């Protein structure tokens, strides 16, 4: 049986998973430590031309009977 995690911890885990995935794809990733910011991460791929900085707001998907739900 898994322990029920606090929503803040679940959100932090999701952000870290996305950060790892982006870094494995070659992106440079910056993390905003404050929780009140509408941006969680910024990412930029060094091999793409131009201003390719992307701001990301990470959402945690929820399991639903019909599949996965992400508001």
């Amino acid at each position: 049986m898994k322990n029920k995690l606090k929503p803040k911890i679940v959100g932090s885990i999701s952000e870290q998973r996305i950060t790892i995935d982006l870094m494995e794809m070659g992106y440079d990733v910056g993390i905003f430590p404050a929780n009140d910011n509408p941006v969680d991460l910024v990412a930029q791929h060094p091999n793409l031309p131009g201003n390719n900085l992307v701001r990301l707001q990470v959402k945690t998907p929820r399991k639903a009977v019909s599949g996965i739900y992400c508001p």
Side-chain angles (χ1 to χ4, degrees), residues 10-70:
V10 173
S12 293
I13 291 169
S14 295
E15 289 174 15
Q16 293 301 315
R17 285 182 176 156
I18 296 296
T19 299
I20 291 166
D21 288 347
L22 288 168
M23 291 173 71
E24 287 178 342
M25 290 188 289
Y27 285 83
D28 296 325
V29 180
I31 301 170
F32 288 89
N35 288 330
D36 60 346
N37 196 328
V39 176
D40 293 321
L41 310 169
V42 291
Q44 183 176 30
H45 200 289
N47 296 335
L48 295 177
N51 182 7
N52 59 30
L53 187 69
V54 178
R55 295 175 290 171
L56 302 165
Q57 175 71 41
V58 178
K59 297 295 181 186
T60 303
R62 306 280 186 240
K63 291 181 183 176
V65 175
S66 61
I68 294 177
Y69 168 73
C70 188

